[in-house]
Amino acid sequence: MKKYRIGKFEFDAYTLLLVALTVAAFVIRVWDVGYLTLWVDEYVHVNRARFFPEQPLFATDNNGILLTMFIVPLFKLFGVSEFWARFPSVVFGTLLVPAAYLFAKRFFNRNIAVTTATLVTFSTYLAYWSRLSRNYAIFAFFFILFLYFLGRALNVDDSFRAGKSRVLNYLRLQPKLLWVALALLVLSVMSHQLTFLFIYGLMFYYVLLFVRSICLRQADFKGIEAVVTYLFVVFSFIVFVPSVQGVFKSFFLLFLPENVANWVLPNLGRLSELMKTQPYSAFQVYNGVLRTDYAWLYIPGLIGFVCMLARFRKSAFYVVSMFGVLFLAMSFVFREPSLPRYLIYIYPLFLMAVACTFDTLFVLLGKAKLRVKPTVATAVTLAAILCTPTVRATVKMVSAHEHGQVVPTTLSAFYFPDWKTSLGKVKPLLGEHDVLISTMPNYVSFYTGRTSYWFRQRHYNSTTHRYENLEVDLTKPNAHSTEALAKLLDESDKAWLLVDYYFDNVMTDPETRNYVIRNMQFEYAMSDDYVSVFSWDKSKHRENADNAIFEFLRPSHPQSGEYSINLPAPTDMNVYLDLEGIAYDNQAVLYVNGYVLGVGKRQGSLSSQGGDSRSRQLYRVQVPAKAFKQGRNSIAFILNQPKDGRKVKNNRFVVYNMHFEPIAR
């Protein structure tokens, strides 16, 4: 192969490609990485790093402590920011490219390696998780390196050389590589506890080797493959036979916490319940990642495992065991919680299967006397990948400058509300003694440096699998119930409440939400598509009797809840709507039993805020009798886009009240 020289260094085409892909991966992952507001889960690491050493670095919920340890010096050296919080993930997400290349090159070949590196570089799924201050990019990096050195230590690549130790010769282990693998195992565990599942894959790998030796009539029933197979059978018996598991679990609980014991011996009763009610829910989550990221490569990926088995038998056993067994274990055994991000550490192995399909195709074409050279085949493969919708989606993700749902929910359920813009408007108005309340205290703390009370009345109990009311202690200031919130406000001269989508979901008690609407002032100008701001001034307080309802419609929440009115008979009606934020005719649409009516002419004014055309006004909509029916009638509101297709800045409006008045005939 042709060599290229840069100074004293010599490179071939594969090495140059790898360097180019690594640079591209870094650019994709670092580009404007600080733009998005930090999401709630990122504070697991960010807060520990911010407040170290005043607060301990390790927390029960911080199962990615290694990432936190990398963030600490960056915060101390360069200051606290979204960029430096996410930079370690950028680095490790970038390093996953050469790590995956190294793995595929050792156990397969260089064509598969460079194709794998390309798929890793432009994967929307991998790029996304490399742009967040979460422990998944670092986990994927250390796990793939761990598998690489473990595979070499276990002689997967058939490079074992006998030494003086009988034990190591029996185990066919290379000690130096094993020590490196053990060190990487520790780093992987410090990144995520899912690392422990590799034991299942490792045992199954030896089972496959033993079965193969039996089929070839070369079985050594005292060899390491046989012994591990016997242990695998015993282990499966202990784990999955309820009566036997109960005995061993009682023993483990003597010296292990219950959550750790459940990792070793899963809750069979809970698994049985899930298999009856939602048997494939976890499987669908992880399969959704494979079907979404490189959607058109899903079938080639599955075919790729078959190609591996046909061409690279021993290496294929290793990869199939580590991917397939762990995939099934998370789908049907260790299935709670099941979230798309948990697939990341074995996902590069699936991309290797995709790459193997491409390589096998060109090998077959070569055998058909088409004279396809490996370098040409690789170039064609890379060109095909670069034209995929996934690459375009990845580029759009890093350049869109949009909050909200950044990637499909099958790749991540994270929704990024733009807290820093709203908090930037509120922060200059804060008095020294103003009280802050929010659905996300971490956001308030990070962007204002002030503490806030948590506005939440319910939580999800992972033990009972139900939503339950939070316990309320009225001796301490809090916002965990209507009574507690009322007491907190009454004891405050001025207060601010900032809420996101949690204000409209099951976590907020409807009674408490209604209390906010009636007793606090909604700040339309400070609110946006993501965060709603309410203020409280005790000296000016009066109950907002006019606020019978509250619907804040914006692009992320374009439709209201359903309201109803009972009528003895259909009749023509004037519907008076108390609205704020109307910028153009028919921006607000009234639905009456599916009948569409745009809100147009203004009918007087209830209140005004500086004479703005968006100020709070009373609107009248004439609704014909044919829109109504006898009995219950359904009413709803919709945010309508301009008919000319133009984009309206701050396109949002609020519904405070509606009143029905029959039209006299």
Side-chain angles (χ1 to χ4, degrees):
M1 180 174 289
K2 184 178 179 181
K3 300 286 185 178
Y4 303 88
R5 296 185 64 87
I6 300 178
K8 296 180 181 179
F9 301 97
E10 246 186 16
F11 304 93
D12 59 21
Y14 289 102
T15 306
L16 290 174
L17 264 175
L18 177 61
V19 172
L21 289 170
T22 304
V23 171
F26 179 76
V27 172
I28 288 169
R29 285 149 178 77
V30 82
W31 186 271
D32 214 3
V33 72
Y35 172 74
L36 290 174
T37 298
L38 289 174
W39 196 78
V40 60
D41 275 15
E42 294 183 90
Y43 290 101
V44 170
H45 311 284
V46 170
N47 282 346
R48 296 292 162 184
R50 280 178 67 197
F51 301 120
F52 180 80
E54 290 81 9
Q55 294 182 12
L57 196 61
F58 183 77
T60 54
D61 60 350
N62 193 357
N63 59 2
I65 189 172
L66 186 63
L67 177 65
T68 311
M69 293 168 67
F70 279 104
I71 297 173
V72 168
L74 295 177
F75 278 4
K76 300 301 180 185
L77 287 172
F78 305 111
V80 176
S81 69
E82 300 97 329
F83 179 89
W84 292 115
R86 292 166 175 158
F87 189 72
S89 290
V90 169
V91 171
F92 288 107
T94 301
L95 292 177
L96 182 61
V97 174
Y101 176 91
L102 186 69
F103 185 103
K105 177 188 172 186
R106 166 64 64 170
F107 298 114
F108 300 109
N109 62 40
R110 298 187 80 177
N111 293 325
I112 293 175
V114 76
T115 303
T116 300
T118 305
L119 291 167
V120 170
T121 297
F122 296 102
S123 163
T124 304
Y125 176 66
L126 294 175
Y128 171 83
W129 288 109
S130 300
R131 293 171 55 83
L132 300 181
S133 187
R134 288 297 282 136
N135 51 313
Y136 301 106
I138 191 172
F139 177 33
F141 170 74
F142 280 115
F143 190 79
I144 201 72
L145 270 190
F146 162 65
L147 290 186
Y148 170 78
F149 282 99
L150 179 66
R152 290 191 61 189
L154 297 176
N155 193 38
V156 172
D157 57 351
D158 289 323
S159 60
F160 175 74
R161 292 182 181 180
K164 296 180 180 180
S165 172
R166 291 184 178 181
V167 174
L168 292 178
N169 289 340
Y170 170 74
L171 298 174
R172 300 188 71 77
L173 286 176
Q174 301 190 51
K176 292 182 180 179
L177 293 171
L178 183 61
W179 284 115
V180 176
L182 289 174
L184 290 167
L185 174 62
V186 172
L187 295 173
S188 186
V189 170
M190 290 176 68
S191 299
H192 205 287
Q193 62 201 23
L194 276 172
T195 298
F196 288 118
L197 291 182
F198 91 91
I199 296 171
Y200 285 81
L202 180 60
M203 294 176 74
F204 194 75
Y205 164 69
Y206 278 112
V207 171
L208 290 178
L209 290 179
F210 183 57
V211 171
R212 177 174 178 253
S213 67
I214 292 175
C215 294
L216 296 175
R217 297 182 180 181
Q218 299 172 354
D220 178 0
F221 290 92
K222 296 181 181 180
I224 181 61
E225 293 92 346
V227 171
V228 174
T229 300
Y230 306 150
L231 291 174
F232 181 75
V233 173
V234 173
F235 182 69
S236 301
F237 188 71
I238 293 172
V239 171
F240 297 111
V241 177
S243 57
V244 180
Q245 192 208 67
V247 174
F248 279 87
K249 196 163 193 176
S250 300
F251 172 72
F252 286 146
L253 288 172
L254 294 175
F255 55 90
L256 289 176
E258 185 176 1
N259 61 332
V260 177
N262 284 335
W263 266 102
V264 181
L265 300 173
N267 187 331
L268 296 180
R270 177 62 180 162
L271 288 178
S272 177
E273 177 187 338
L274 290 172
M275 286 303 295
K276 292 177 182 177
T277 57
Q278 39 188 321
Y280 302 110
S281 58
F283 173 83
Q284 289 166 349
V285 168
Y286 301 123
N287 195 48
V289 174
L290 307 183
R291 297 188 71 95
T292 303
D293 189 32
Y294 283 104
W296 72 290
L297 296 178
Y298 176 70
I299 298 301
L302 299 181
I303 294 172
F305 289 115
V306 178
C307 296
M308 282 184 185
L309 291 168
R311 297 176 59 197
F312 310 95
R313 189 65 50 83
K314 199 172 180 182
S315 296
F317 283 167
Y318 187 60
V319 170
V320 168
S321 297
M322 290 301 177
F323 178 82
V325 173
L326 272 61
F327 186 94
L328 294 175
M330 292 192 300
S331 297
F332 299 106
V333 183
F334 303 97
R335 54 181 297 177
E336 289 186 310
S338 52
L339 298 166
R341 57 183 181 261
Y342 294 146
L343 190 69
I344 192 168
Y345 70 125
I346 56 174
Y347 183 62
L349 301 178
F350 179 79
L351 297 183
M352 289 178 200
V354 173
C356 189
T357 297
F358 279 104
D359 186 61
T360 302
L361 174 63
F362 285 109
V363 167
L364 293 175
L365 290 175
K367 289 182 178 180
K369 298 182 180 180
L370 295 181
R371 296 181 181 179
V372 180
K373 296 182 179 179
T375 51
V376 175
T378 302
V380 172
T381 302
L382 301 188
I385 293 171
L386 293 174
C387 294
T388 64
T390 297
V391 176
R392 294 194 294 272
T394 301
V395 173
K396 180 181 178 182
M397 177 188 67
V398 302
S399 61
H401 287 83
E402 293 179 358
H403 281 75
Q405 190 66 49
V406 179
V407 294
T409 55
T410 47
L411 300 183
S412 170
F414 281 17
Y415 183 90
F416 291 84
D418 181 13
W419 277 79
K420 54 183 165 184
T421 298
S422 292
L423 287 168
K425 295 175 182 178
V426 172
K427 186 177 179 180
L429 303 176
L430 291 178
E432 182 181 354
H433 301 292
D434 286 11
V435 170
L436 283 165
I437 312 165
S438 70
T439 50
M440 294 292 180
N442 282 326
Y443 290 138
V444 177
S445 173
F446 187 84
Y447 290 105
T448 69
R450 302 272 292 264
T451 59
S452 66
Y453 294 102
W454 193 31
F455 182 83
R456 191 71 59 85
Q457 295 79 51
R458 292 176 181 158
H459 74 111
Y460 182 74
N461 189 321
S462 58
T463 302
T464 62
H465 304 284
R466 294 179 181 178
Y467 290 99
E468 299 175 355
N469 292 333
L470 289 168
E471 293 184 6
V472 181
D473 183 357
L474 292 176
T475 63
K476 298 178 181 179
N478 65 82
H480 296 332
S481 71
T482 305
E483 185 180 3
L485 176 63
K487 186 173 183 291
L488 178 61
L489 293 177
D490 189 56
E491 294 173 352
S492 309
D493 292 329
K494 289 186 177 181
W496 302 82
L497 171 66
L498 299 99
V499 296
D500 56 6
Y501 52 87
Y502 281 103
F503 190 62
D504 298 305
N505 69 16
V506 69
M507 299 299 191
T508 296
D509 184 351
E511 180 187 351
T512 310
R513 184 179 186 274
N514 189 52
Y515 182 87
V516 170
I517 293 166
R518 286 183 172 274
N519 289 275
M520 300 188 75
Q521 175 68 37
F522 177 65
E523 300 291 347
Y524 174 84
M526 296 183 188
S527 304
D528 58 26
D529 194 24
Y530 307 99
V531 181
S532 302
V533 182
F534 295 85
S535 64
W536 162 270
D537 188 332
K538 190 174 182 179
S539 64
K540 300 177 182 179
H541 171 253
R542 68 176 182 85
E543 185 178 353
N544 300 317
D546 295 330
N547 294 0
I549 60 177
F550 178 81
E551 292 287 351
F552 184 27
L553 302 186
R554 60 272 193 200
S556 65
H557 184 71
Q559 183 169 341
S560 75
E562 183 184 3
Y563 298 86
S564 63
I565 179 175
N566 289 307
L567 296 176
T571 184
D572 295 335
M573 286 274 191
N574 279 327
V575 180
Y576 293 92
L577 301 174
D578 185 3
L579 308 177
E580 182 177 13
I582 299 299
Y584 53 89
D585 275 353
N586 300 324
Q587 180 182 10
V589 171
L590 178 67
Y591 273 6
V592 181
N593 298 321
Y595 194 90
V596 181
L597 299 112
V599 176
K601 295 181 180 179
R602 187 174 305 165
Q603 176 71 20
S605 174
L606 288 179
S607 63
S608 179
Q609 297 179 356
D612 190 339
S613 61
R614 293 176 179 263
S615 62
R616 185 168 172 175
Q617 303 284 347
L618 184 65
Y619 292 82
R620 180 184 64 188
V621 181
Q622 292 184 335
V623 183
K626 63 181 180 179
F628 294 104
K629 62 184 179 181
Q630 185 178 359
R632 182 181 180 278
N633 291 263
S634 173
I635 314 293
F637 306 96
I638 301 291
L639 172 64
N640 189 35
Q641 299 294 336
K643 290 184 177 179
D644 57 9
R646 62 191 171 92
K647 288 188 176 181
V648 178
K649 187 178 180 180
N650 300 325
N651 190 12
R652 57 187 191 267
F653 69 88
V654 185
V655 185
Y656 293 102
N657 205 340
M658 65 177 167
H659 173 67
F660 294 83
E661 184 179 287
I663 298 175
R665 295 181 180 178

